């Protein structure tokens, strides 16, 4: 890999098969595609065989969606993985109906997303309803909404709560240590950074094995190769309420993805115009549809891959295609899927706690450049308030609501995101907001002029 860390490799530059698989494997490792499905598995307390099936379908969906997106539509080095924004809605729909209703809702919502991309309506909708500050607020509330899930899930795991918290705590601390060690300069730091989640899970699982919480027997009996069962949870069911909720969720998921695309665009120096965004929306819609059809859950472009790209400078879309091929190959290995499925819930929730923090801080980081005026503070604060409020609503109250409201309030992310959009529309910008924005713009222009002068 003679060009690694020596020059920037553009998105259209071809790689050899070996290079594509090598850089693709790095990205797949960094994205930890197994985290999304095992969190759902932990919340729903699925048995090992059902868990392995969901993991396999998710890897297969992610691999196919990655190849579609990077090869034919967005044509960036993006790895598609299960979005954490979907958790609340999926859980609410499964509790009130089943997984087949979830997949039916996703399929119709994905078709709507494709239409929004084909017609160019999506970019217009995002400009009007979800500007930068609202997008950052939505990402922030995703992190906030997911935090109570980790605590409640640790409490709800069968067994001694003290031991469960011990296992989760050790895993959480290990994750922090490995992430910090990943900041070491050089090859060692890169290796630790890319595999930090895997290392922390391995350590946590070893600790949990001492308490008898790890059963390797399903791994031993699982075959090395098998074709995953299509639609393992039955034929999709189409419920109007589930479709409405999943359509809104997929739009939120797209906000996540567009943010990642802009980051890659800035890093690579390649232009991301509205035409390319709309192509990306189409690609992601097709990926979500195919994923739902085979039994996977909605995908988004994983921001964690940008950390790898910042190090390698290899932005070639052929690396992502290689990563997609690797994800599909992993889905065809039941022994690996069962190995992932047996990771104890306490270990997963330890990792999940760190992820919640990372998502929340990512959102706050994206809005720090916006003026914290009274209006913006109200948009952010009210959104967080309603997100937390929806998170602590008793399940009996939520389930007693009409189906649409039950699905909506079952997802704290839905409630918080809707609050952010509505508050942003209702609270018009005042003189204070315009004055701060104007000052920021003038300061930015002055800095740009000074940089240009220094260059000359």
């Amino acid at each position: 890999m003679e060009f690694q860390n020596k020059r920037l490799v553009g998105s259209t530059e071809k790689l050899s098969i070996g290079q594509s698989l090598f850089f693709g494997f790095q990205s797949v490792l960094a994205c930890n595609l197994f985290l999304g499905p095992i969190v759902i598995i932990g919340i729903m307390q699925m048995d090992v065989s059902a868990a392995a099936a969901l993991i396999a379908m998710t890897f297969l969906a992610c691999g196919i969606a990655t190849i579609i997106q990077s090869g034919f539509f967005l044509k960036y080095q993006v790895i598609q993985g299960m979005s954490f924004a979907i958790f609340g809605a999926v859980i609410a729909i499964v509790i009130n109906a089943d997984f087949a209703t979830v997949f039916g809702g996703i399929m119709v919502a994905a078709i709507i997303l494709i239409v929004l991309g084909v017609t160019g309506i999506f970019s217009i909708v995002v400009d009007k309803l979800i500007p930068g500050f609202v997008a950052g607020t939505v990402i922030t509330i995703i992190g906030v909404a997911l935090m109570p899930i980790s605590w409640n899930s640790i409490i709800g795991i069968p067994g001694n709560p003290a031991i469960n918290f011990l296992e989760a705590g050790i895993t959480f601390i290990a994750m922090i240590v490995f992430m910090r060690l990943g900041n070491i300069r050089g090859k060692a730091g890169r290796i630790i950074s890319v595999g930090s989640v895997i290392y922390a899970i391995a350590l946590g699982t070893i600790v949990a094995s001492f308490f008898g919480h790890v059963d390797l027997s399903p791994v031993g009996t699982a075959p090395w190769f098998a074709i995953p069962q299509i639609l393992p949870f039955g034929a999709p069911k189409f419920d109007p309420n589930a479709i409405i909720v999943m359509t809104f969720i997929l739009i939120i998921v797209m906000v996540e993805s567009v943010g990642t695309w802009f980051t890659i665009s800035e890093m690579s120096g390649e232009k991301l115009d509205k035409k390319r965004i709309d192509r990306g929306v189409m690609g992601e819609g097709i990926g979500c549809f195919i994923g739902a059809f085979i039994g996977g859950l909605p995908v988004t472009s994983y921001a964690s891959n940008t950390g790898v790209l910042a190090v390698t400078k290899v932005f070639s879309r052929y690396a992502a295609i290689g990563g997609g091929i690797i994800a599909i190959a992993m889905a065809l290995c039941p022994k690996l899927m069962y190995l992932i499925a047996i990771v104890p819930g306490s270990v997963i929730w330890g990792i999940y706690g760190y992820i919640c923090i990372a998502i929340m801080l990512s959102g706050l980081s994206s809005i720090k450049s916006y003026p914290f005026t009274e209006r913006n503070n109200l948009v952010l604060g009210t959104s967080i308030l309603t997100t937390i409020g929806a998170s602590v609503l008793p399940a009996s109250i939520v389930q007693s609501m009409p189906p649409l409201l039950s699905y909506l309030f079952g997802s704290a992310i839905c409630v918080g995101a809707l609050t952010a959009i509505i508050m942003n529309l209702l609270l018009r910008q005042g003189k204070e907001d315009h004055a701060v924005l104007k000052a920021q713009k003038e300061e930015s222009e002055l800095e740009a002029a000074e940089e240009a002068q220094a260059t000359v």
Side-chain angles (χ1 to χ4, degrees), residues 1-300:
M1 310 305 165
E2 68 279 0
F3 52 67
Q4 186 174 3
N5 295 324
K6 292 186 178 181
R7 67 179 180 84
L8 186 148
V9 179
S11 64
T12 59
E13 188 165 342
K14 290 187 177 181
L15 304 176
S16 67
I17 294 176
Q19 290 169 339
S20 297
L21 294 175
F22 174 78
F23 289 111
F25 184 61
Q26 277 189 317
S27 292
V28 170
L29 280 181
C31 290
N32 301 298
L33 301 180
F34 56 84
L35 275 177
I38 59 178
V39 169
I40 292 288
I41 290 162
I43 296 172
M44 304 305 300
Q45 297 187 8
M46 301 168 66
D47 61 59
V48 175
S49 60
L54 180 62
I55 295 169
M57 289 301 102
T58 300
F59 268 82
L60 185 60
C62 291
I64 294 172
T66 297
I67 293 172
I68 288 172
Q69 186 68 293
S70 57
F72 303 99
F73 288 89
L74 183 68
K75 297 183 179 180
Y76 268 0
Q77 215 273 55
V78 292
I79 300 295
Q80 302 293 104
M82 184 190 293
S83 171
F84 287 87
I86 68 165
F87 287 171
V90 169
I91 294 165
I93 295 172
V94 171
I95 290 174
N96 287 276
D98 51 24
F99 268 111
T101 304
V102 171
F103 296 131
I106 295 170
M107 290 173 68
V108 178
I111 293 173
I112 294 173
L113 201 63
I114 294 169
V115 172
L116 292 176
V118 171
T119 58
I121 294 175
F122 179 84
S123 55
I124 298 173
V125 171
V126 170
D127 282 345
K128 297 294 183 182
L129 297 182
I130 314 177
F133 185 80
V134 174
T137 299
V138 169
I139 295 173
T140 301
I141 66 170
I142 289 174
V144 171
L146 298 178
M147 288 179 179
I149 295 177
S150 58
W151 287 96
N152 291 334
S153 297
I154 295 174
I155 295 171
I157 296 173
N160 189 324
I163 294 177
N164 291 336
F165 270 100
L166 174 64
E167 293 169 356
I170 290 174
T171 306
F172 180 81
I173 293 170
M175 183 67 192
I176 293 176
V177 171
F178 285 124
M179 289 299 294
R180 296 300 297 170
L181 290 175
N183 292 326
I184 298 173
R185 292 184 178 180
K187 186 176 181 180
R190 290 196 298 272
I191 293 173
I192 294 172
S193 177
V194 169
S196 55
V197 174
I198 296 173
Y199 305 147
I201 288 177
L203 180 60
T205 302
I206 292 172
V207 171
S209 68
F210 294 130
F211 297 100
H213 291 166
V214 180
D215 179 12
L216 290 172
S217 57
V219 180
T221 57
W224 281 102
F225 175 82
I227 303 297
Q229 177 187 351
I230 303 300
L231 294 174
F233 302 99
K237 299 177 183 177
F238 303 99
D239 175 76
N241 298 307
I243 291 170
I244 292 171
V245 171
M246 291 312 304
T247 299
F248 179 72
I249 283 293
L250 285 197
I251 292 175
I252 297 301
V253 167
M254 282 308 314
V255 173
E256 284 186 275
S257 290
V258 171
T260 300
W261 302 345
F262 271 112
T263 301
I264 295 175
S265 173
E266 292 174 3
M267 292 169 62
S268 65
E270 297 184 26
K271 186 178 180 181
L272 181 66
D273 53 23
K274 289 187 176 181
K275 185 177 180 180
R276 194 165 200 165
I277 290 175
D278 287 328
R279 285 208 318 268
V281 172
M282 285 186 279
E284 196 143 307
I286 293 171
C288 288
F289 180 87
I290 293 176
F293 182 76
I294 64 177
L297 291 167
V299 295
T300 185

